[in-house]
């Protein structure tokens, strides 16, 4: 009767420990530990009692604590572009740092491996560094498509699981993806640009001039969604691609002067990455207010131009939360073998204007 009351009390408290199991079974804590880990000598009678109490109490051993006690270091490598404060990848870096402080409690170290997103050789060097260190898992931002496919193949051959962040390579055998639905975000961008009463005759698509071989194109799927929407709904609209060098303001303004500055009337402009502020800086300096401008991502510089009216809408995502979710998913897999509930984990696509941007948290 006393034993039955003891079991019931433990269940009501809903915090069953190994000590509780030992007391309820009338054995030592060491005996319970040997039964749980199937090691050492335990009599059949004691084992039966322990297993019965475990079932009755619903005891679940703390696997994270057990793994931590093993003292084995596990490493997650996060391969992302190098960045300056306030740039897009600084948001992802913050998320990685926040998640790293949590998973470190369970013996997991998170290492950021940076690369120059305008240099294929830099990305190759980062990949080689990761493969040489043989981490437990990898999170990668696939800026260079073909090289990322090779890297993914090398990771698979080494038995290293990997997760894509922000964009993905469809045909790769990735464990999970965290980011926007890229194609659909391009469709949404086109609908916001052209969904009103105005039908644009010309749309200027401002693009980053990346590596000299043209191998880096992380927004290709987004651009594809945009172009397909335009072909289906506004087939007569002229699409003008304007390439800019984000590192040189004079080159940016010269390129925009040549393409946009000479055109009369209202201008429709889109940019598929986080740097629409570069275009808005130009428009403000030139006094070109009669424009409809759509961009991506809630960087402080982009938000400032929403407020000033030189950007009409941003399609935003919580990049820091995506990074946190990616690190947590990899940690859960490394420690417990649990894969993310979904392979493709799409973030919501938030539409920001000057009327709601101050409330975006």
């Amino acid at each position: 009767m006393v034993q039955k009351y003891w079991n019931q009390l433990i269940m009501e408290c809903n915090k069953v420990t190994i000590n509780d199991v030992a007391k309820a079974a009338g054995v030592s804590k060491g005996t319970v530990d040997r039964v749980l880990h199937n090691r050492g000598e335990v009599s059949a009678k004691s084992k039966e009692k322990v297993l019965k109490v475990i079932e009755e109490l619903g005891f679940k051993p703390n696997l994270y604590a057990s793994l931590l006690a093993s003292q084995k270091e596990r490493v997650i490598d996060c391969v992302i572009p190098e960045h300056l404060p306030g740039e897009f990848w600084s948001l992802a870096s913050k998320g990685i740092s926040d998640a790293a402080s949590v998973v470190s409690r369970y013996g997991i170290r998170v290492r950021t491996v940076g690369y120059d997103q305008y240099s294929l050789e830099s990305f190759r060097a980062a990949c080689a560094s990761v493969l040489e260190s043989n981490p437990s898992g990898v999170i990668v931002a696939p800026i260079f498509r073909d090289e990322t496919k090779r890297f993914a193949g090398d990771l698979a051959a080494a038995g290293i699981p990997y997760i894509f962040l922000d964009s993905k390579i469809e045909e790769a055998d990735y464990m999970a993806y965290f980011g926007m639905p890229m194609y659909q975000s391009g469709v949404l961008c086109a609908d916001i640009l052209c969904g009103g009463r105005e039908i644009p005759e010309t749309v200027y698509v401002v693009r980053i001039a990346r590596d000299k071989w043209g191998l880096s194109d992380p927004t290709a799927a987004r651009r594809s969604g945009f172009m397909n929407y335009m072909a289906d709904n506004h087939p007569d609209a002229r699409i003008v691609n304007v390439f800019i060098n984000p590192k040189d303001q004079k080159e940016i303004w010269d390129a925009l002067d040549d393409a946009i500055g000479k055109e009369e009337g209202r201008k429709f402009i889109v940019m598929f990455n986080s740097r629409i502020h570069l275009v808005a800086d130009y428009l403000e300096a030139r006094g070109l207010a009669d424009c409809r401008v759509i961009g991506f991502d809630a960087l402080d510089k982009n938000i400032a131009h929403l407020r000033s009216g030189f950007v009409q809408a941003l399609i935003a995502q919580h990049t820091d939360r995506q990074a946190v979710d990616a690190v947590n998913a990899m940690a859960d897999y490394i420690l417990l073998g649990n894969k993310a509930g979904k392979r493709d984990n799409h973030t919501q696509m938030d539409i920001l204007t000057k009327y709601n941007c101050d409330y975006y948290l």
Side-chain angles (χ1 to χ4, degrees):
M1 188 68 178
V2 172
Q3 188 69 53
K4 183 177 180 181
Y5 173 77
W6 172 254
N7 290 355
Q8 184 64 32
L9 181 62
I10 292 171
M11 285 189 287
E12 288 175 358
C13 290
N14 200 30
K15 291 183 179 180
V16 184
T17 69
I18 194 171
N19 287 327
D20 298 328
V21 173
K23 290 178 181 179
V27 299
S28 69
K29 179 180 174 182
T31 297
V32 176
D33 185 78
R34 287 192 291 275
V35 171
L36 289 171
H37 297 94
N38 196 27
R39 61 179 179 231
E41 294 291 332
V42 180
S43 69
K45 184 177 180 180
S46 294
K47 183 176 182 179
E48 183 180 355
K49 288 167 63 177
V50 169
L51 292 176
K52 183 179 179 181
V53 169
I54 286 174
E55 183 178 357
E56 290 176 349
L57 301 182
F59 171 69
K60 295 181 180 179
N62 189 334
L63 296 180
Y64 282 111
S66 298
L67 288 163
L68 182 58
S70 72
Q71 298 299 309
K72 178 182 177 181
E73 184 183 53
R74 296 163 175 83
V75 177
I76 298 173
D77 276 350
C78 297
V79 187
I80 65 172
E82 297 164 345
H83 51 272
L84 297 173
E87 293 182 342
F88 175 81
W89 286 105
S90 67
L91 302 176
S93 182
K94 178 183 182 303
I96 290 169
S97 179
D98 290 345
S101 66
V102 175
V103 301
S104 65
R105 303 169 192 169
Y106 306 111
I108 293 180
R109 180 166 64 90
V110 178
R111 183 174 76 123
T112 297
V113 182
Y115 67 91
D116 181 350
Q117 63 178 300
Y118 304 103
S119 167
L120 179 63
E121 289 306 315
S122 177
F123 182 69
R124 284 175 174 164
C127 295
S129 171
V130 168
L131 290 167
E132 184 178 0
S133 68
N134 191 33
S136 304
V138 171
I139 296 169
V140 58
I143 300 290
F144 295 93
R145 178 181 176 79
D146 290 343
E147 197 63 31
T148 300
K149 287 171 66 175
R150 281 188 280 272
F151 182 44
D154 292 338
L155 291 173
I160 301 172
Y162 61 93
I163 287 174
F164 285 139
L165 180 65
D166 185 60
S167 61
K168 64 179 178 177
I169 298 182
E170 292 281 358
E171 59 269 33
D173 189 22
Y174 56 94
M175 188 178 84
Y177 164 65
F178 291 86
M180 270 191 187
M182 292 293 282
Y183 180 90
Q184 290 80 359
S185 70
V187 173
L188 178 61
C189 177
D191 191 63
I192 296 171
L193 183 74
C194 307
R197 295 180 179 178
E198 297 175 282
I199 305 299
E201 293 183 4
T202 301
V203 174
Y204 298 94
V205 177
V206 182
R207 299 170 59 181
I208 298 295
R210 291 182 177 271
D211 65 284
K212 62 184 179 182
W213 297 283
L215 301 176
S216 170
D217 193 1
T219 60
R222 183 174 287 161
R223 189 169 66 253
S224 177
F226 181 91
M227 295 299 293
N228 286 344
Y229 177 100
M230 295 300 296
D232 290 341
N233 296 278
H234 303 292
D236 295 330
R238 182 171 64 111
I239 307 297
V240 177
N241 289 292
V242 184
F243 289 89
I244 62 171
N245 174 5
K247 298 180 180 180
D248 190 313
Q249 186 191 66
K250 183 178 185 306
E251 287 188 28
I252 294 172
W253 289 22
D254 286 347
L256 294 176
D257 274 338
D258 288 340
I260 299 172
K262 297 176 181 179
E263 295 289 331
E264 298 293 331
R266 186 161 170 78
K267 301 170 179 64
F268 293 77
I269 305 168
V270 297
M271 199 167 186
F272 298 130
N273 56 43
S274 63
R275 305 199 187 194
I276 195 64
H277 59 86
L278 297 176
V279 176
D281 285 343
Y282 164 83
L283 296 175
E284 185 173 24
R286 293 289 191 256
L288 300 174
D290 189 19
C291 302
R292 182 154 181 80
V293 182
I294 312 298
F296 285 79
D297 299 309
L299 303 188
D300 289 343
K301 293 178 181 179
N302 291 344
I303 294 289
H305 283 298
L306 270 183
R307 296 192 186 104
S308 68
F310 285 94
V311 173
Q312 278 63 57
L314 293 172
I315 300 173
Q317 58 187 322
H318 284 291
T319 308
D320 53 342
R321 297 180 193 174
Q322 293 170 10
V324 168
D325 290 343
V327 173
N328 287 341
M330 183 59 76
D332 206 32
Y333 179 74
I334 290 169
L335 293 176
L336 302 176
N338 296 333
K339 288 188 176 181
K342 295 184 294 184
R343 188 168 184 241
D344 289 328
N345 301 271
H346 292 138
T347 187
Q348 64 193 44
M349 296 184 286
D350 301 314
I351 302 172
L352 303 187
T353 72
K354 64 180 179 181
Y355 301 108
N356 68 348
C357 65
D358 290 332
Y359 308 98
Y360 188 65
L361 301 177

